[in-house]
Amino acid sequence: MDFETKRIAQLVRENNANIIALQFPEGLKRYGPSLAMQIEQELGIRVILSGDPCYGACDLDLESDADLVFHFGHAEIPQLDVERVHFIEVRSDIDVAPVVRDALKVIDSQRIGVVTTVQHIHQLRDIRSQIESQGRECRIGQGDNRIKYPGQVLGCNFSSARAIDVDEYLYIGSGLFHALGVSLATGKRVVAADPFLHRISVPDARAIVRQRYAVIARALDAGTFCVLIGTKIGQRRSYLAQELVQEARERRHRAYAVSVNEVSPWLLYQFPADAYVNTACPRIGIDEVSRFKAPLLSPIEFEIVIRKRDLSDYTFDEL
Amino acid sequence: MDFETKRIAQLVRENNANIIALQFPEGLKRYGPSLAMQIEQELGIRVILSGDPCYGACDLDLESDADLVFHFGHAEIPQLDVERVHFIEVRSDIDVAPVVRDALKVIDSQRIGVVTTVQHIHQLRDIRSQIESQGRECRIGQGDNRIKYPGQVLGCNFSSARAIDVDEYLYIGSGLFHALGVSLATGKRVVAADPFLHRISVPDARAIVRQRYAVIARALDAGTFCVLIGTKIGQRRSYLAQELVQEARERRHRAYAVSVNEVSPWLLYQFPADAYVNTACPRIGIDEVSRFKAPLLSPIEFEIVIRKRDLSDYTFDEL
């Protein structure tokens, strides 16, 4: 694992930093203590590890007294642009070529759009060659101002997929969430290639829409809505939340807004409502649907509940 | 329950506030939604409820976009002085005279020091009369710059007790933590009078010292220490934490610092160490001792572990 300690040392010198903070996502947190002690010893500075859970580049820990913050494992969200935060992206060593080769066997189209997460982004050039060597066209789209690299997708942003006109998509990475999101956002078939498990799958977006329809159905009779606002720097949508509160009231519902660092099932017990609308991290309600007893709607699902949007327009909420 | 809606309305007008936040401790959170909707309707402004857990006036939610924050149920910590936060203290309606009358029967001393929490602070004058009517002396001390009212104690601050020279203390309030803290801080007997349960008790500080000694003993062989820094505004002791890291290293231990919003048992799994030192909320390790598998030491307990302090000098950590 390359934690770019030379770059860290250089930035510490350039900024005359005395205290730095290191922030890791959950899967990398275990590397924190030894890296912190190594940096303290080598550079003679103080290091504070960020202990709070971290799920993305939207979730920057700016709470410590550190002069510089090094955020590991995620690509910067250009829109946020917090000067004292530096991103150490951490690439996966795994060679994606074998799983891409097999995935291409189940893709019939000529024009293929490729999307992936930041940890495989350095292999996009090779993937393009792989596709083009079969005489097919490879398109890689540039996302919006939340996306750093062409072809990069986030669980809350599929703009790099939407930016290109293709027949079919190839998603490289673990999990099915991103692939489902791309499929819903574009209406196209997405082949998901997981290089870690060497597993190829074609997720069925209709299945998740049915699951979400069940949640939406349970909110149709709601009298009181609680609208959640995330306080993490890259998840704040206060203005949208206040609009949703107003929209609910215009339809003679009761509604109120609650700000929260992290949306969790037990939070909801403190704030009684018939349905919740989550304007923070869009993944939570969908990925963890079974943990929430009450309906936890996305803003888009709320629009369906109040009949402002048709169910056929269903898509994942994006930031 | 008086939530001082007139004062809120006045402050909203004076400050031309468009958005306000309301922050309640856990026991009062259930009043939030209806109060929020009432204020929005009456004043035509937007209200955001703070959804994160809140355990004291040290724990101010400054995350929302609100022009003003109303913090309910706790007295201000004067030291913190955050301009846009206003405190709605919420007094208990319960008459403490009956339990004070019975508590005085088990107090033999002539000079009695009285301490209580903010919810009973308005009854101190009557308690003084009750004591003096028995021909005894009542002393009420002024605490340090974390304490707003004479006689007020916090779970992390017993300075108003230490400020007076008395033979015995009367604590009025629920729970035994404050009474134990006063007893350890002053070395005097404390009679605890719980007005809610009408229960009088004389907590034995030696029992808690024995329990803490067991925790300390388990840390005596620790090779690696993880020092926790709280990021809540009134719990930050970064400088102390860094000193403790240095002290551990000078004694050839490994040590590193972790910042965290809330100290919880599952947090510790991410950061392996033989013992943890908590510079955040002093109550957590003691009140919730059984939830922590690894030793969670206060800075004072850490001093005992590294033989800088004698066990006979044991006292609760204070902020």
Side-chain angles (χ1 to χ4, degrees), chain A residues 8 11 19 31 35 48 53 74 130 141 151 173 222 224 255 257 292 301 305:
Chain A
I8 293 172
L11 282 162
I19 306 179
Y31 298 105
L35 187 63
I48 298 170
H74 301 121
Q130 238 179 313
T224 302
F292 290 89
E301 291 164 355
V305 165

Side-chain angles (χ1 to χ4, degrees), chain B:
Chain B
M1 202 81 70
D2 179 14
F3 291 129
E4 299 190 38
T5 47
K6 281 182 188 158
R7 186 174 146 225
I8 293 172
Q10 194 186 331
L11 282 161
V12 163
R13 277 193 302 272
E14 281 172 15
N15 292 277
N16 286 315
N18 292 312
I19 307 179
I20 65 170
L22 309 182
Q23 186 182 21
F24 294 89
E26 301 316 281
L28 297 177
K29 270 203 169 65
R30 66 184 183 281
Y31 297 105
S34 56
L35 186 63
M37 290 188 279
Q38 180 197 329
I39 291 172
E40 287 192 328
Q41 196 160 32
E42 287 178 5
L43 305 185
I45 58 167
R46 290 170 173 188
V47 179
I48 298 171
L49 291 169
S50 172
D52 292 320
C54 171
Y55 303 112
C58 55
D59 191 0
L60 302 178
D61 184 352
L62 305 172
E63 287 298 314
S64 68
D65 307 323
D67 304 313
L68 297 175
V69 176
F70 293 95
H71 182 105
F72 293 80
H74 302 121
E76 180 185 7
I77 296 176
Q79 189 191 45
L80 296 181
D81 190 27
V82 184
E83 209 184 338
R84 70 182 165 115
V85 182
H86 298 269
F87 291 80
I88 312 274
E89 289 173 3
V90 186
R91 302 278 183 248
S92 167
D93 292 334
I94 203 161
D95 179 12
V96 303
V99 81
V100 168
R101 188 190 59 226
D102 287 348
L104 289 173
K105 291 178 191 159
V106 301
I107 300 179
D108 296 324
S109 312
Q110 269 303 108
R111 286 184 312 175
I112 305 170
V114 178
V115 288
T116 187
T117 57
V118 67
Q119 61 180 326
H120 309 298
I121 211 84
H122 59 296
Q123 297 190 59
L124 275 185
R125 191 207 294 251
D126 291 340
I127 296 166
R128 178 188 288 282
S129 304
Q130 239 180 313
I131 292 172
E132 290 177 346
S133 72
Q134 298 187 350
R136 300 204 263 185
E137 193 181 332
C138 171
R139 292 196 180 172
I140 295 169
Q142 175 60 56
D144 63 19
N145 64 355
R146 285 181 74 88
I147 298 296
K148 185 166 177 193
Y149 296 105
Q152 183 197 351
V153 283
L154 302 174
C156 62
N157 191 301
F158 313 106
S159 56
S160 72
R162 229 187 275 97
I164 45 178
D165 180 25
V166 295
D167 306 314
E168 218 165 328
Y169 288 88
L170 168 64
Y171 163 73
I172 299 139
S174 55
L176 294 180
F177 192 88
H178 297 77
L180 283 166
V182 170
S183 177
L184 283 168
T186 63
K188 299 284 165 65
R189 184 173 182 255
V190 180
V191 173
D194 181 333
F196 303 104
L197 304 176
H198 196 100
R199 187 163 62 188
I200 289 142
S201 45
V202 184
D204 180 8
R206 287 169 309 179
I208 200 122
V209 173
R210 280 193 298 270
Q211 191 182 58
R212 297 313 300 171
Y213 187 53
V215 174
I216 290 166
R218 285 166 49 216
L220 289 175
D221 295 326
T224 303
F225 291 88
C226 172
V227 180
L228 304 172
I229 305 168
T231 57
K232 293 183 198 289
I233 186 169
Q235 298 183 7
R236 287 169 193 249
R237 289 190 286 178
S238 299
Y239 186 78
L240 171 65
Q242 297 294 353
E243 275 190 342
L244 299 180
V245 167
Q246 293 312 313
E247 285 191 351
R249 288 190 188 153
E250 284 162 16
R251 285 160 180 84
R252 298 175 176 277
H253 299 302
R254 284 159 57 91
Y256 60 95
V258 171
S259 70
V260 65
N261 185 269
E262 211 169 307
V263 175
S264 69
W266 51 262
L267 161 80
L268 274 41
Y269 299 128
Q270 289 278 23
F271 296 99
D274 303 310
Y276 299 81
V277 189
N278 172 22
T279 68
C281 173
R283 278 191 71 153
I284 292 172
I286 294 170
D287 251 6
E288 305 180 15
V289 60
S290 61
R291 292 180 65 214
F292 290 90
K293 298 284 169 274
L296 181 66
L297 306 167
S298 73
I300 286 167
E301 291 163 355
F302 174 75
E303 288 183 353
I304 295 172
V305 166
I306 63 169
R307 282 80 167 176
K308 216 183 129 179
R309 176 191 285 255
D310 195 82
L311 187 64
S312 61
D313 278 346
Y314 188 86
T315 189
F316 281 176
D317 179 31
E318 292 183 54
L319 289 175

Side-chain angles (χ1 to χ4, degrees), chain A residues 176 180 183-184 202-215 286 289 301 314 316:
Chain A
L176 294 180
L180 282 166
S183 177
L184 283 168
V202 184
D204 180 7
R206 287 169 308 178
I208 199 122
V209 173
R210 279 193 297 271
Q211 190 182 59
R212 297 312 300 170
Y213 187 54
V215 175
I286 293 170
V289 59
E301 291 164 355
Y314 187 86
F316 281 176

